[in-house]
């Protein structure tokens, strides 16, 4: 099963995360199938590749609880339901 999860990188106490698609049986620091976005919890900066995320979700990928909440804030599930992807949402940057 493919999971959308966070992959940690950065220095100690300055951690950032990449949102990646990985096989659920792979170790968390393993090689991802695809990198789909970026999340910095210190500044609440988020960058998402929305078309790639929607494609993975349509293929049956399951997001983890944290990734699901990030996608919910960026309204990705609403775009998935409506089936419309505009050019303005191609590369979404969300500031909360």
């Amino acid at each position: 099963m493919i999971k959308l999860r966070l992959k940690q990188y950065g220095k100690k106490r300055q951690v950032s995360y990449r949102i990646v698609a990985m096989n659920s049986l792979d170790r968390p620091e393993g090689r991802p199938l695809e990198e789909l976005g970026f999340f910095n919890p210190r500044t609440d900066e988020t960058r998402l590749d929305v078309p790639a995320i929607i494609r993975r979700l349509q293929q049956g990928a399951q997001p983890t609880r944290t990734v699901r909440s990030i996608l919910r804030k960026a309204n990705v599930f609403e775009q998935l339901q409506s089936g419309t992807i505009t050019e303005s949402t191609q590369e979404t940057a969300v500031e909360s």
Side-chain angles (χ1 to χ4, degrees), residues 4 48 53 63 67-77:
L4 301 182
L48 302 173
I53 291 172
V67 171
R68 185 177 293 124
S69 70
I70 293 169
L71 298 180
R72 198 173 292 132
K73 286 180 187 176
N75 298 323
V76 172
F77 292 115

Side-chain angles (χ1 to χ4, degrees), residues 5-21:
R5 65 167 96 163
L6 295 176
K7 183 176 179 180
Q8 182 177 332
Y9 75 101
K11 295 191 256 182
K12 289 183 183 177
R13 299 180 189 251
Q14 294 183 5
V15 177
S16 295
Y17 298 93
R18 289 189 178 125
I19 300 171
V20 296

Side-chain angles (χ1 to χ4, degrees), residues 38-77:
F38 166 82
F39 174 63
N40 186 345
R42 292 177 293 119
T43 61
D44 242 6
E45 180 186 359
T46 304
R47 276 186 253 129
L48 302 173
D49 184 5
V50 176
I53 291 172
I54 289 176
R55 184 180 34 124
R56 285 290 181 180
L57 290 171
Q58 288 172 341
Q59 292 172 352
Q62 297 296 311
T64 60
R65 187 180 312 146
T66 307
V67 171
R68 185 177 293 124
S69 70
I70 293 169
L71 298 180
R72 198 173 292 132
K73 286 180 187 176
N75 298 323
V76 172
F77 292 115

